Amino acid sequence: MPTFDLSNKAASGVPYYTPEQQPTAGTALGKSVPTLLKPYQMRGVELHNRFVVSPMCQYSADNGHLTDYHLVHVGQFALRGAGLIMLEATAVEARGRITPHDSGLWTDSQVAPLKRITDFVHSQGTKIGIELAHAGRKATTLAPWLSEVSKKQLATEDVGGWPDDVVAPSAIPLSKDYAQPKAMTIEEIKLLSKQFADAAVRAVKAGFDLIEIHSGHGYLINEFLSPLSNKRTDEYGGNFENRTKLLREVVTAVRGVIPADMPLWIRISATEWMEWNNEPSWDIHESIRLAKLLPDLGIDALDVSSGGNNAQQRIQFHPRYQTDLAGQIRAAVRKDGLDLTIAAVGAITETEMARSLVDDDNKAHADLVVAARQFLRDPEWVLRSAHDLGVNVKWPHQYERAQRSLDTKF
């Protein structure tokens, strides 16, 4: 009779017992597998499928420190098969938070709560990244559920805000509802690269598999990129080279302090949807120009979003309003023979749309599918999508009794 190891093997590399998930939940079983469920390699990190949980601010941290809430929030995606989980935007300095209750990584005491989360994610065989960020002129706002009730955006000092210490490339507020920012000095700009690098060192200590630098959605680096929010006349303003200088410096600083085999991403807003204004703005053409510079800077992946930098933006909504932007960038970098992973995000709610974005390498819009709200609505989206595609995938051991056969509807 064959012999079996019945020891219920423990997951390795974590400081407590939990059964090893081998293979990882969400891993396709069998040979006929769509691209969406195939592994993907970046430097020393392999994802077991192409599903990525997008960074999602939860506005629930304690002075930048994450709590058990975040362990449960992130853990649900690790249990249910996502290839990669991106932790929410995490500020590199206290005044770089969007709200007083954002995640932070500006001090060593914030490492341990993050390590608890990465340990759990790794115990399930899944990879996890962190998005390092600075909110710039969009800092010191209220959590969405509070602003909806109060009809106010600004978090004042009495609720933990810092409205008199908000910085931006130029002293231009996002709108009348936001703080009046101060234009950053050259010294402050130079310090920012060190703050990102210091946070990256802490992220490595916390056990993250990769790092993303947030350069979109109207936050500080995005504000420098845009000629609408950046009116500087020094080395950080004016032409494309100057407006991208801060981003290039931050990338160089971070790449210089993280392991060589750790992937480094950036997120951008491919357009700020201000083309209608007949003024120079950050658009798809400048995004393509930037994308072609990224591989030489040590960037492995470009996470393509849009908007967020101007209150007058006019978004042209349709089901692929953002993923088409990712497709344009991917086609341009591929045409030049550049090695840059493209991650697409935005209104991806259906399995067939997700499959079509990465299917057929020559015509694909992206290499990875990134979703936020869909995972909030349906944490089992990876398992459900596999079912929709008729593909058998591994479930977590403890949940296998709940798995339906492929010929049964969920």
Side-chain angles (χ1 to χ4, degrees), residues 378-396:
D378 185 3
E380 285 187 347
W381 191 42
V382 175
L383 304 178
R384 198 177 296 271
S385 292
H387 173 268
D388 292 342
L389 294 169
V391 178
N392 188 26
V393 297
K394 181 67 173 63
W395 276 50

Side-chain angles (χ1 to χ4, degrees), residues 30-147:
K31 294 182 179 180
S32 181
V33 178
T35 301
L36 185 61
L37 291 165
K38 290 180 178 177
Y40 192 82
Q41 185 82 32
M42 288 177 293
R43 293 191 187 244
V45 173
E46 183 179 88
L47 312 182
H48 61 277
N49 60 46
R50 310 297 180 92
F51 285 93
V52 179
V53 180
S54 190
M56 291 182 277
C57 291
Q58 298 295 293
Y59 316 105
S60 303
D62 182 7
N63 192 28
H65 298 74
L66 299 197
T67 70
D68 283 358
Y69 167 81
H70 300 90
L71 176 64
V72 174
H73 166 66
V74 172
Q76 66 181 323
F77 308 123
L79 279 173
R80 292 170 169 87
L84 171 67
I85 302 164
M86 294 295 290
L87 192 76
E88 65 189 82
T90 298
V92 300
E93 68 164 333
R95 67 177 178 176
R97 291 171 293 171
I98 305 166
T99 78
H101 294 97
D102 278 20
S103 173
L105 199 44
W106 64 81
T107 186
D108 290 345
S109 62
Q110 292 159 341
V111 171
L114 292 170
K115 185 65 165 62
R116 189 161 181 237
I117 293 169
T118 63
D119 278 344
F120 179 79
V121 172
H122 291 151
S123 79
Q124 303 306 301
T126 298
K127 302 298 190 293
I128 182 168
I130 187 170
E131 184 178 64
L132 300 181
H134 193 297
R137 66 178 181 173
K138 295 181 81 172
T140 194
T141 61
L142 295 169
W145 54 87
L146 298 174
S147 61

Side-chain angles (χ1 to χ4, degrees), residues 36 320 349-357 381 385 388-389:
L36 185 61
R320 292 178 178 261
T349 61
E350 302 295 334
T351 299
E352 181 54 32
M353 181 179 177
R355 182 204 60 76
S356 69
L357 288 172
W381 191 42
S385 292
D388 292 342
L389 294 169

